[in-house]
Each structure stands twice: as C-alpha cells, then as structure tokens.
Amino acid sequence: MHGFQALPELLRRNGSTTVFGVLGNSNVAWIGEGVRTGTLRLVKTRHEDTSVGAAAAFSRVTGGLGVCSATRGPGFANCINPLISAVYYHAPLLLVVGESPSTTDTTWQNIDQRGFSATIGAGFHHVATVDELEAGFWAAVDAASFDGRPQVLSIGDGVLEAEIILGDAQHVSPSPPPAPPAQRIQAAVDALESARRPLILAGQGALLAGCQPELERFADLIGARVGTTINVNRFFSGHPHDVGLVGQSAAAPIKALVRETDVVLAVGASLNSRTMDGGRLFAKARMIQCDIDPTREGIAAAEGLASNDWTFLCGDGRTTVTALIDEWHRRGLGKRPVEGKTPSYGDVADAIVAADVGQDPERGIDLRALYREVSRRLPSDRIVVTDAGRSRATMAALVDARDARSWLDSHGYGSIGLGLGYAIGAAAAAPRRRVVLFTGDVGFMMASHDLDAVRLNDLDLTIVIRNDQQFGAEIKYLAAFGLPPDIARQDLPDVAALARAFGGNAVVIDDIAGLLDEHLTQAGLFIIDARIDPDIEWRVCMDAATLPT
Ligand SMILES: Cc1ncc(C[n+]2csc(CCOP(=O)(O)OP(=O)(O)O)c2C)c(N)n1
Ligand SMILES: [Mg+2]
C-alpha cells in the first residue's frame, strides 16, 4: 500500500468515513482513493471555511471525530476563521492538509501552517516521512478526543507516494486521567456539604466526557440546580431543576436566581467573563472547577471573575464527578432537596415573549413569536443551528431541541457567517432529521456561496433568515457616535431567485401567519426569508423579562 491509500484506511479504522473538503494538489489523491474504494464519503463544499464548520458540527451531532481537508497554503488559510471558532467550541476535529511551507516542491503556496496553528490554539502534527504517518495520525486523533481541541495533520511532501505497511494492531486510545487527588475532592465536598443553594454548571467538557448521568445523579443528591454555558445549551433538557442557559445572555430572572448560588460546581466550562457575566454572576459563590486541561487552573480566578475560594479539580468529568459522589456517600450524607422553585423553560420563554419592548407589527415580525412558532412546529428530533448577530439573543431560550447535540451555536469567538457550514455538517450527519439554520441576513449572505453544498451533496436544509435588512448589531454603535444608521442598512437580493439557482425554493413572510407547516417539511434547500422588526434590540427582551410572582 502507499501513503495515499493508507490515509483513508486509517480514517476507516477510526470509524471516520465522512470528510468535508475542497480539493487541491496536496489532498486530491488520498480523498480520490478513499472515494474510489468506497471508504470515504466526500461532502463537497465551495469554500474551505464551510468544511471546517461542517466538521465541527458533524463531531457535535455524531459524538465522533469531525474530519475535513484543505489543500496547503491558501486552502489552509481559508480555514483559519472557523478553525479559531472550533478552538473556542472545543470541537474534536481533524483538518488534514499538505505540507507548507514545502520542503521539496517549487510552489507559491508557502505559509507557516505550524505557526498559524500555534497562534490560534489548534494542535499541529507534521508527518515528514511515510514511516511517521500511522503514529502521527493517531497522535492527532487522540489529542482531538482528549479535550476537543481541533488538530491539524500536515502530510509531508512525498508521503502520499511512498510505500507503507500499516500495523495490524488495533489502536487503543489512552484512558482518561485519574481522579484528582483525594484532598481536592474532600475540599470540594466540604464546600458542597455546607452549601444551601448549589449550582452544577456544565460546559462543552461535560458533553465530551459524557458525564450527564453522573452530573444529574450528583445534582439530585446534593440538591443542586443545573445549568449550562451557551456552548451546550439544552444539555440538561428535561431535568426538573434545570435553569437552562447561565451567563451574560441569560434572562433576567435566571440571572437573579443564580446570583443567589453559594457554591458552583463547574464541569468542563472555561468560566470566561461571558459565562461569569463579567464577575457579577457568582460574586458571592465559592467556585469548584473541574477541567481536564491542567493549564486552566487559576485562569478565571486570576481574571478576577470570582473573589471567594476556588478549588480546581484537574480530571475527566466522569471520573471526577464519580469521585465526588463516592465521597458524598462515604460521609453518609443523604439526598437533599432543592431550595425554592425552579422556573421551567416554558416559564422563562413566556416571560421573554411577554416583555414589552415596543415591538410594532407594522414594522415587521416579532422575532420572539417567529422563534416560538418555528420551534412549536418542528419535529422533536430537530437539529437547530444559529449564526451570530443581535437577533440571536433570545433564541437559546425560545427555540427548543432535545439535547445539546441538537442545539448548535456557531458563534464561537463572535464570528458571523459560520452557521451555514455548521448546518451543512449537521445535515450530513443526520440525514433523516430536520435541520434548521437561523441566521441574520448579513451572516446569510456572507456564506451564501455554500448554499451550493446543499445541492452538491443532496442534503435537506431549512434556513430561516431573521431578516432585518441591516447589520442590526452595529446600529447601537453608530448611534453611540451620533451617526445615522444608513450605512448599516442593506437589503438582500431576491432570495427566491437565489434559492432556485441552487436547486431550492424560498418564501418571503412579513407576518407570522405566513409561516406554514409545509415550509418546515420541504426536501432539499428551503429558505424562509422572514422580515422581522428592524428597530428592536432583541437582547433587551432578556433583561425586561419578569416571572409572575
Ligand atoms: C466575520 C465577521 N465579520 C464582521 C463581524 C461584525 N458583526 C457582528 S454582528 C454583525 C451584523 C450581522 O448582521 P446580521 O447577520 O444581519 O445579524 P443582525 O445583527 O442584523 O441580527 C457584524 C457585521 C463579525 N462579528 N464577524
Ligand atoms: Mg441583520
């Protein structure tokens, strides 16, 4: 066998049979061989940024590794923005590229791929000779699954052409690290034992560790509420004491409730300033942070995001929470009730929808009603994806999905335009489920070239454009400088014609009554261009929400 045959075979051995990509001279041979032999399915995209986002979403939906590929140099450079986003998202993905700068070839396509990867926080593995291929591949795969850090696998010049004999032994992934030292577990349980209003907060690390059952068991034991970062919205869906999204973007009543927390157990959440609402959310709480990455110790505390005691538990979520449960039992502590009432998702959604923020039906659709109506009509196994922009603000609370693998936020570090790639990855991962992308009009157009990926790969995708015909998020910045909004206003081209060009269909609605069930059941590409009220700063609805007393 040769290197170009060995790479698809290694992917097959890992159970990775789908690759998202754009072809170039440094990846076409191994992808071509994988497709020819039926080992790989190539999901074609028109731009590399779509491939990377799609691989991130594919890993989220399937729970496995997402695989994408770009050619070296410019292909890799086109991956940078979604790759940074995937670093924030902790998406276990593998980006396979050719070597750059090239050591042997006369090529223009020379950039410092290793340096870029280091700068953005992605792992980097270079395979210089074919003898290093197998070990390099598994090192990258293992690193991706360790803590969800995206990994770049760089294939050296000549590796694909060279002969190789792959080993027979099945690769064994390293086991998770042991539980944190007993002293730290005891310190954490000391705090939780004396807690009156504990909260368990899950982030992406909890999803990767698969420790939801352990977290819920522990919450039920210690009488804790549970909540999540935006990264894993709906992780605790169905739990009676789930407060949903915790952080800066949460609804006011949820913020008020969690501000009363006296001990937080955060698992796999980086506890950045958005989750901590700039330090306001857990100012009074004692923090216990479990993270598999030892370098996270002390970061959030040093940023001054909570002033009280901070216990860091370095370990895998499942192993660590199991150790906490064991210690609770060892002390003979019983099951504790949750103090007070926990509002349901429905209660919070009602409060957001009821907030009077001056919405005027004459100006356009109330986005909150649109979210609720689409959510109500979708099948329960829907997968929802969101792009960024200010119209995203109420979506986490108003659009439901059954679990965190079905609610995908492509926002990452604040980029617009990545939602379509995520939606394509989700549609490729779950062809029998309804995938709906919600995107602003500007984010939609930024990615519109890859509406073609829906056509090329015969996917089904519904897109809801929350269309305010402007850069909604920028309006307040212009106003702050006393400038008129004109520069941020910009309408969309004919979306129906655009959809048709890509083999799809579209409808324009300017009233919620215009939304029909049939809009959400179309095969192929279907776009709902929903004309929303452009004059509402939607996050105000979160601040203005109040629960009935
Ligand atoms: C790649 C990228 N370019 C520019 C921005 C700046 N930006 C933030 S929100 C926004 C407006 C997005 O408009 P739209 O998608 O229509 O959403 P809206 O805010 O109107 O709801 C822009 C341009 C960004 N975040 N990311
Ligand atoms: Mg807009």
Side-chain angles (χ1 to χ4, degrees):
M1 155 182 310
H2 292 83
F4 77 102
Q5 298 163 311
L7 197 42
E9 170 59 14
L10 287 167
L11 285 164
R12 189 196 64 75
R13 291 184 185 184
N14 186 52
S16 303
T17 54
T18 298
V19 54
F20 299 88
V22 176
L23 303 175
N25 73 339
S26 65
N27 65 359
V28 68
W30 70 263
I31 295 177
E33 173 69 359
V35 171
R36 186 190 70 80
T37 56
T39 311
L40 291 178
R41 165 172 72 144
L42 170 64
V43 178
K44 297 173 175 176
T45 67
R46 290 289 182 186
H47 195 288
E48 288 85 354
D49 65 358
T50 315
S51 294
V52 178
F58 188 88
S59 73
R60 167 59 70 93
V61 172
T62 61
L65 182 75
V67 182
C68 51
S69 182
T71 203
R72 63 179 167 204
F76 174 82
N78 268 353
C79 296
I80 293 292
N81 187 40
L83 200 54
I84 301 172
S85 236
V87 168
Y88 277 75
Y89 198 60
H90 282 266
L93 70 79
L94 188 64
L95 167 61
V96 186
V97 294
E99 174 175 3
S100 182
S102 170
T103 40
T104 62
D105 226 3
T106 313
T107 172
W108 293 103
Q109 299 176 321
N110 293 322
I111 59 168
D112 181 5
Q113 293 181 163
R114 182 190 293 274
F116 274 113
S117 301
T119 301
I120 67 174
F124 187 85
H125 309 259
H126 179 58
V127 174
T129 67
V130 79
D131 302 335
E132 296 172 13
L133 180 61
E134 207 169 348
F137 174 83
W138 290 116
V141 169
D142 289 342
S145 55
F146 175 71
D147 68 346
R149 185 180 295 274
Q151 304 291 319
V152 177
L153 181 64
S154 154
I155 307 295
D157 292 350
V159 168
L160 297 176
E161 294 85 344
E163 279 195 56
I164 179 175
I165 299 171
L166 289 180
D168 292 332
Q170 214 194 334
H171 175 72
V172 182
S173 306
S175 32
Q183 250 177 330
R184 297 250 177 141
I185 292 291
Q186 278 163 19
V189 175
D190 286 347
L192 290 165
E193 189 182 342
S194 60
R196 292 199 53 227
R197 299 176 74 90
L199 174 79
I200 292 184
L201 177 62
Q204 165 80 343
L207 185 69
L208 293 175
C211 63
Q212 184 191 346
E214 287 80 4
L215 284 174
E216 294 194 357
R217 245 178 72 213
F218 196 41
D220 295 346
L221 259 181
I222 68 176
R225 290 198 169 80
V226 294
T228 73
T229 65
I230 183 70
N231 218 346
V232 288
N233 192 34
R234 305 284 148 158
F235 180 82
F236 288 117
S237 194
H239 190 279
H241 292 291
D242 179 16
V243 299
L245 173 63
V246 171
Q248 205 165 52
S249 344
I254 297 298
K255 282 189 184 173
L257 185 65
V258 302
R259 258 188 237 112
E260 298 305 314
T261 300
D262 53 2
V263 181
V264 178
L265 169 62
V267 177
S270 67
L271 298 178
N272 57 41
S273 71
R274 271 167 298 153
T275 300
M276 307 286 279
D277 195 13
R280 288 177 287 277
L281 219 41
F282 301 124
K284 290 193 248 168
R286 181 169 170 173
M287 304 300 295
I288 303 163
Q289 182 181 13
C290 165
D291 202 298
I292 199 165
D293 177 359
T295 66
R296 301 254 17 127
E297 177 159 14
I299 293 182
E303 285 169 0
L305 293 171
S307 52
N308 294 352
D309 279 351
W310 199 300
T311 303
F312 187 80
L313 304 175
C314 184
D316 160 75
R318 180 178 284 163
T319 319
T320 305
V321 177
T322 302
L324 293 169
I325 293 173
D326 290 348
E327 177 61 17
W328 189 269
H329 286 314
R330 199 189 62 77
R331 295 185 184 192
L333 298 168
K335 190 165 157 20
R336 296 182 173 179
V338 173
E339 196 180 279
K341 196 172 164 291
T342 306
S344 69
Y345 290 168
D347 295 338
V348 176
D350 286 344
I352 294 166
V353 170
D356 183 359
V357 291
Q359 198 279 319
D360 182 352
E362 289 293 310
R363 291 194 304 252
I365 295 172
D366 185 329
L367 178 59
R368 296 166 295 177
L370 179 71
Y371 279 147
R372 271 214 136 164
E373 204 44 37
V374 175
S375 186
R376 192 178 68 74
R377 288 167 190 258
L378 287 172
S380 57
D381 68 346
R382 87 285 297 270
I383 298 173
V384 298
V385 181
T386 181
D387 205 86
R390 77 172 183 180
S391 54
R392 163 177 167 274
T394 60
M395 184 171 147
L398 298 182
V399 179
D400 200 12
R402 68 182 184 199
D403 54 29
R405 294 201 182 278
S406 309
W407 208 108
L408 280 59
D409 185 4
S410 67
H411 175 271
Y413 72 120
S415 177
I416 62 166
L418 299 180
L420 182 60
Y422 277 63
I424 284 162
R432 275 176 289 282
R433 295 170 64 187
R434 174 76 22 193
V435 179
V436 181
L437 165 67
F438 294 84
T439 173
D441 46 306
V442 178
F444 168 78
M445 279 313 291
M446 189 174 273
S448 56
H449 48 274
D450 255 314
L451 294 171
D452 211 25
V454 182
R455 181 186 72 90
L456 286 171
N457 302 290
D458 207 10
L459 303 174
D460 295 323
L461 178 62
T462 308
I463 300 177
V464 179
I465 309 176
R466 33 198 188 205
N467 186 2
D468 60 359
Q469 319 225 55
Q470 63 185 358
F471 290 65
E474 317 316 337
I475 299 292
K476 63 175 180 292
Y477 299 112
L478 285 165
F481 284 88
L483 291 166
D486 318 29
I487 190 179
R489 298 246 152 97
Q490 161 176 302
D491 60 358
L492 286 184
D494 181 346
V495 168
L498 192 68
R500 277 198 301 279
F502 294 111
N505 277 303
V507 64
V508 178
I509 60 168
D510 46 24
D511 189 306
I512 201 74
L515 181 73
L516 307 176
D517 280 340
E518 66 194 55
H519 296 151
L520 300 169
T521 54
Q522 303 281 319
L525 171 67
F526 192 80
I527 304 176
I528 301 168
D529 177 357
R531 304 297 170 86
I532 63 167
D533 185 341
D535 291 343
I536 302 292
E537 187 63 57
W538 296 103
R539 75 141 302 103
V540 174
C541 308
M542 308 302 278
D543 301 334
T546 50
L547 289 171
T549 43

